[in-house]
Amino acid sequence: MAQEFDTHFAVFGAGWFWKPQKKFNTVRGVVDTRVGYTGGRGDKKPTYKSVCGGDGHTEAILIEYDPKVISYHTLLDVFFEMHDPLKTAKTQYSSSIFVCD
C-alpha cells in the first residue's frame, strides 16, 4: 500500500462499506481503499456477526490518498454527498469520521 509519494489516510463510516469504496475508488487522488470494521470495543478482530450483535464497531473504509492531488476537505465533501448521517438506523451503519493525521 505504501507509494513513492507522501500519502495520507482517512477513515469514514458511511453505512455499508461497499458503496463508499466503489465511489472513492473513482476519485482522482485516491490511491487505495480498504474496508473493514472499526471503532468498537472488546474484540480486536470483529466479525459481521459480532458487529451486528452490537459490539460497537461500524463498517468503515480506509482511504489512502495523495494530498497533492486531493484535499481531506474534498474527501469529506465526497463522503457527505453520498451519505446522509440522519438516515442511519443501526449502530454498525452509523456515521463516523476517524482522525488519522
Side-chain angles (χ1 to χ4, degrees), residues 9-46:
F9 295 91
V11 178
F12 301 130
W16 293 2
F17 40 57
W18 303 120
K19 182 179 177 183
Q21 182 181 39
K22 184 176 180 180
K23 175 65 176 175
F24 279 111
N25 281 338
T26 68
V27 175
R28 186 175 173 272
V30 171
V31 176
D32 195 19
T33 61
R34 294 183 185 177
V35 298
Y37 307 111
T38 192
R41 56 194 175 279
D43 192 355
K44 291 184 179 182
K45 292 188 178 185

Side-chain angles (χ1 to χ4, degrees), residues 41-71:
R41 56 194 175 279
D43 192 355
K44 291 184 179 182
K45 292 188 178 185
T47 63
Y48 182 73
K49 184 176 179 179
S50 70
V51 172
C52 290
D55 70 0
H57 285 84
T58 186
E59 294 191 19
I61 179 170
L62 171 69
I63 302 160
E64 181 180 9
Y65 67 99
D66 182 350
K68 293 178 184 171
V69 178
I70 188 168
S71 70

